[in-house]
Amino acid sequence: MQKSVSKANLQLMIAAIGLLATVWAALDAVGAKQSAITAEAKEQPYVIEYYYKAKWGHAGEFLALFKKNHYPVLKKEMEMGRMLKVTMATPRYHASEDGRWDFRVTIVYKNAAIANDNFDSAALIKQLFPDQDTYKKEEQRRFEILDSHTDVPIKDLDLDAK
């Protein structure tokens, strides 16, 4: 026995299909918007600040070793397009010991993906520093004379946004 569909049930089914189509379209639009936001974010510069606190009396030695062994690697990565800018700052005045830092290195990466891609700089280091024994000893010393080292990813805030 075949049951016939009443006019009311047919209208209900059509309404349900219409609602389903509307929900589907809305979800598709949200997904497209999220993809656009994600794609845009991938192309936004990504900033990380690196704070170094040297043991008392060793700031000059740390700076010399940084400029000799680490800065050339960072410059090569800028040449490769991974980084857009590298700067270093030092406080003009002193702070309390618990809040003290001696150097802040700010690196502007091309985007967040590049900043977090686990890039292996070993080949660059071997190219730049053929005497690997000296390089390794000096890098070890650079970190021995530190009291602390902190990496802080930076997020800009739009103060005009509501």
Side-chain angles (χ1 to χ4, degrees):
M1 181 191 282
Q2 188 177 19
K3 289 189 176 180
S4 63
V5 177
S6 71
K7 188 174 181 180
N9 283 342
L10 185 58
Q11 288 175 336
L12 188 60
M13 287 179 6
I14 291 171
I17 291 171
L19 179 62
L20 183 60
T22 302
V23 168
W24 184 273
L27 288 174
D28 190 44
V30 167
K33 185 174 183 178
Q34 285 178 333
S35 293
I37 290 169
T38 301
E40 182 180 313
K42 285 182 181 177
E43 294 310 313
Q44 294 295 316
Y46 187 78
V47 180
I48 301 179
E49 292 184 341
Y50 302 86
Y51 291 86
Y52 298 94
K53 178 181 174 182
K55 293 179 182 175
W56 279 107
H58 293 279
E61 181 183 5
F62 174 84
L63 180 59
L65 290 169
F66 182 93
K67 289 169 73 174
K68 180 181 178 189
N69 293 322
H70 194 53
Y71 187 53
V73 177
L74 299 176
K75 287 194 327 187
K76 274 288 191 198
E77 289 193 50
M78 281 192 289
E79 289 172 16
M80 294 169 62
R82 292 178 46 74
M83 299 171 182
L84 303 176
K85 187 176 181 181
V86 175
T87 58
M88 181 181 260
T90 190
R92 186 176 302 267
Y93 302 114
H94 62 85
S96 64
E97 186 58 24
D98 60 329
R100 179 177 72 84
W101 53 270
D102 296 300
F103 302 101
R104 180 188 70 216
V105 175
T106 303
I107 299 179
V108 181
Y109 290 89
K110 184 176 180 181
N111 56 47
I114 287 175
N116 295 290
D117 69 357
N118 295 322
F119 177 73
D120 186 2
S121 59
L124 287 178
I125 291 168
K126 286 179 182 176
Q127 175 189 359
L128 291 168
F129 306 102
D131 182 353
Q132 285 291 292
D133 289 337
T134 299
Y135 170 81
K136 288 175 184 175
K137 286 177 188 173
E138 290 177 348
E139 280 297 274
Q140 180 179 340
R141 177 67 183 157
R142 182 167 71 96
F143 283 95
E144 285 174 352
I145 60 178
L146 286 179
D147 272 337
S148 67
H149 171 217
T150 306
D151 304 340
V152 182
I154 302 299
K155 176 183 170 187
D156 288 331
L157 297 177
D158 183 354
L159 296 174
D160 295 320
K162 295 184 180 193

